[in-house]
Amino acid sequence: MSLVLCLLGVLALFILISARIIAARFTGRHDLARQKLLPVLLSGDPQHLEKVSGGELAVAANLTIELAEMTRGSERDILIIRATALGIPDLLLRRMRSWSAQKRLSAAEAITLFDNCSELACKALDDRNRDVRLGVAMALAQKGAAPEPLALIEKLGVGQQESSLLLVSLMADLAGKNSEAVAALLFERSLPYETKVAAMDALANLGGEYAPLLAYMARESAGEPELQPRVYRALGRTGHPAGAEAIIDGLSSVEWTVRASAAEAAGNAGLSQAVRHLGELLRDPVYFVRYRASMALLKLGPRGIAILREASSSEDPVVRTVATKMLVEGRAT
């Protein structure tokens, strides 16, 4: 029995040593390939480059991706020309058929770097994995090569499972290239709530151009307690006078979430004409509304602070407390 155990121990030791030798050889070849290919990608003459294969091709692909992240403009353009001459797109296309979703995603994102491969990258929008689809969509949108927003959203099958930050980032890139098409998404009844919120956020980040549309949406979304507060927040971020009337209307909503978000919007938009309405909200039965209203008054400067100071002497302890706390918080006592 002890002899068997000794033999097993020796065998295990032999396997470990062999694995280490193989790994060392692989690492050595990998390092040599990097040393050989790095100057080629950085300064090689595309006219004289030939395709590489095997391990060198894999190393060249990884180097291309690393260098592309560090370069821009003409420097990146010539890098991509050299990578094309080495045969990188062929490898990426093979990786896009991998069983590994992570490999397919990395390959599809990388292939968007190659101008003549955008159509091939678009095929990844039909991938069976939603993370692959979303990653490729973001890469295409950043490059300005994505399909129309509605077609893209339908391909992605966007629902509530995606990270809202990723969706907002995607929508911002789409709006940067085609804001009208993104605005049109707001009127698509079949689109999920998260998609419309991301579209509104993207439009709000463009400034006041879409304030009238967001004001319209703020009114039309009455009865949608999840959506309407997000519309008001987006509207407030535009800071455009075209949203003033809708925001003031929102301060009187029967929904406390809407009143709170409208108060936040009034402060962010600097609506001095809303001070009286905001002052009235200091008596609101919901604490969060009172807090948002007092914060907005503080943001509005002297006129808002005057309302807060007056309220800090109120006989109503609820009004007095929220006003005093905000004045102290804003060091405006």
Side-chain angles (χ1 to χ4, degrees):
M1 184 65 179
S2 59
L3 181 61
V4 173
L5 290 175
C6 287
L7 288 174
L8 288 174
V10 171
L11 180 61
L13 185 61
F14 175 76
I15 291 173
L16 287 173
I17 292 174
S18 299
R20 185 158 188 168
I21 291 172
I22 293 171
R25 286 182 179 175
F26 177 79
T27 302
R29 289 177 184 173
H30 181 271
D31 291 343
L32 286 174
R34 281 183 69 92
Q35 291 172 17
K36 173 186 173 183
L37 292 167
L38 183 59
V40 171
L41 284 166
L42 289 176
S43 57
D45 182 352
Q47 299 295 329
H48 297 94
L49 295 182
E50 295 182 355
K51 289 187 177 182
V52 293
S53 60
E56 286 193 351
L57 183 57
V59 171
N62 294 336
L63 271 174
T64 299
I65 295 169
E66 291 175 25
L67 294 172
E69 291 176 352
M70 296 186 285
T71 54
R72 292 291 183 274
S74 59
E75 195 176 10
R76 177 185 280 188
D77 292 342
I78 188 65
L79 167 69
I80 296 304
I81 292 173
R82 291 176 186 131
T84 302
L86 293 177
I88 307 302
D90 295 336
L91 175 65
L92 295 176
L93 288 174
R94 289 197 294 275
R95 286 180 176 177
M96 286 174 64
R97 295 191 289 271
S98 168
W99 284 101
S100 165
Q102 183 56 50
K103 280 189 178 179
R104 295 201 304 276
L105 173 58
S106 299
E109 287 177 333
I111 210 164
T112 60
L113 296 169
F114 298 82
D115 286 335
N116 58 348
C117 294
S118 292
E119 289 187 11
L120 296 172
C122 285
K123 290 183 178 179
L125 293 172
D126 295 316
D127 194 279
R128 58 187 178 276
N129 183 289
R130 69 170 59 243
D131 292 334
V132 175
R133 297 198 300 271
L134 183 58
V136 175
M138 295 182 68
L140 288 168
Q142 287 174 4
K143 191 176 180 180
E148 288 292 308
L150 180 58
L152 181 63
I153 294 299
E154 288 177 345
K155 272 185 175 292
L156 293 178
V158 172
Q160 307 233 349
Q161 297 181 29
E162 292 78 12
S163 162
S164 59
L165 291 178
L166 292 179
L167 192 55
V168 168
S169 176
L170 170 64
M171 206 61 73
D173 287 331
L174 294 174
K177 301 294 181 184
N178 191 349
S179 59
E180 292 295 327
V182 171
L185 296 178
L186 301 179
F187 298 94
E188 293 292 333
R189 292 186 177 276
S190 60
L191 291 184
Y193 155 77
E194 286 295 337
T195 302
K196 292 186 179 182
V197 168
M200 283 188 299
D201 285 344
L203 294 174
N205 290 337
L206 294 177
E209 181 182 357
Y210 286 96
L213 173 60
L214 293 174
Y216 168 80
M217 292 297 297
R219 291 194 176 94
E220 291 299 307
S221 57
E224 298 184 65
E226 290 188 354
L227 179 61
Q228 198 176 24
R230 299 292 296 269
V231 183
Y232 274 112
R233 291 194 191 100
L235 184 57
R237 287 206 309 279
T238 68
H240 196 276
E245 186 176 345
I247 291 174
I248 291 174
D249 287 347
L251 297 174
S252 304
S253 171
V254 295
E255 298 286 346
W256 73 264
T257 53
V258 176
R259 296 196 301 277
S261 59
E264 181 181 343
N268 290 337
L271 294 184
S272 58
Q273 61 268 48
V275 290
R276 181 176 62 81
H277 303 278
L278 291 167
E280 292 170 355
L281 288 182
L282 297 178
R283 294 182 174 81
D284 197 276
V286 179
Y287 166 78
F288 201 63
V289 176
R290 298 196 298 271
Y291 177 74
R292 288 295 184 195
S294 63
M295 182 181 287
L297 286 168
L298 187 65
K299 283 186 175 181
L300 292 178
R303 289 186 62 186
I305 291 173
I307 295 289
L308 285 173
R309 285 178 176 158
E310 182 181 345
S312 67
S313 303
S314 171
E315 294 181 356
D316 185 334
V318 171
V319 176
R320 187 171 64 245
T321 299
V322 70
T324 302
K325 282 185 176 178
M326 188 53 63
L327 287 170
V328 171
E329 189 174 317
R331 298 180 180 178
T333 52

